[in-house]
Amino acid sequence: MLFFFVFLHIFKAILFSLSSSFYSKVFGIIIFLLLAGISFFGYILPLGQMSFWGATVILNLLSVAPFYDNFYLYIFGDFSFNTVTVSRIFTLHFFLPFVLLFFVVIHLFFLHLNLSSNNLNLISLYFVYFFPTILIIDFFFFLKFYFFFFFFFF
């Protein structure tokens, strides 16, 4: 369901933002790739037959990368899928959402830096400058959401 809304957001961004910031688009692509990586790492954590063979196939796709031996051994610990690999993937699955949150904040910064209220570049007298005001509102909404989340769920 999350990827459905992410694809809707990407479609809306392609359809309506003709002159959006280049950096906003780059960080959006990075966010999408990180989200796909986090989902993949979460998929292979249960260690069932489907997740084992899915991890084996996808991780063996990395064998076409240059310096495959060094990269694979440093990241995954061994050439076969074992407990060292699972512990490292769990670590990545836990750590990467914080990196994703950092990139989301940077994405919002670059989005609000370039008047994102005027997506179609129509000439209007009523510009809403997003940079100082809306970024602060986004920050306070973020704080309010997390205080609410931690109050009711922890």
Side-chain angles (χ1 to χ4, degrees), residues 22-136:
F22 172 74
Y23 296 112
S24 177
K25 291 178 184 176
V26 167
F27 283 113
I29 292 169
I30 292 171
I31 288 168
F32 178 71
L33 293 176
L34 276 173
L35 188 62
I38 292 167
S39 300
F40 172 69
F41 290 148
Y43 171 73
I44 62 177
L45 278 178
L47 275 182
Q49 282 293 316
M50 295 243 339
S51 61
F52 172 76
W53 288 110
T56 303
V57 168
I58 298 297
L59 295 179
N60 282 333
L61 286 176
L62 296 174
S63 65
V64 297
F67 307 111
Y68 163 71
D69 298 338
N70 294 332
F71 173 75
Y72 201 82
L73 285 176
Y74 287 142
I75 299 296
F76 300 112
D78 198 4
F79 287 108
S80 63
F81 192 76
N82 57 17
T83 56
V84 175
T85 310
V86 171
S87 66
R88 290 184 183 186
I89 285 175
F90 179 74
T91 304
L92 284 173
H93 182 70
F94 179 78
F95 177 69
L96 283 180
F98 297 111
V99 176
L100 179 73
L101 181 65
F102 174 73
F103 280 116
V104 166
V105 169
I106 291 175
H107 179 71
L108 284 174
F109 173 76
F110 281 117
L111 184 67
H112 293 332
L113 189 63
N114 290 334
L115 291 175
S116 63
S117 65
N118 190 9
N119 289 333
L120 297 177
N121 283 337
L122 301 173
I123 302 208
S124 173
L125 298 175
Y126 302 108
F127 280 127
V128 177
Y129 290 96
F130 269 10
F131 175 59
T133 310
I134 301 299
L135 196 64
I136 293 170

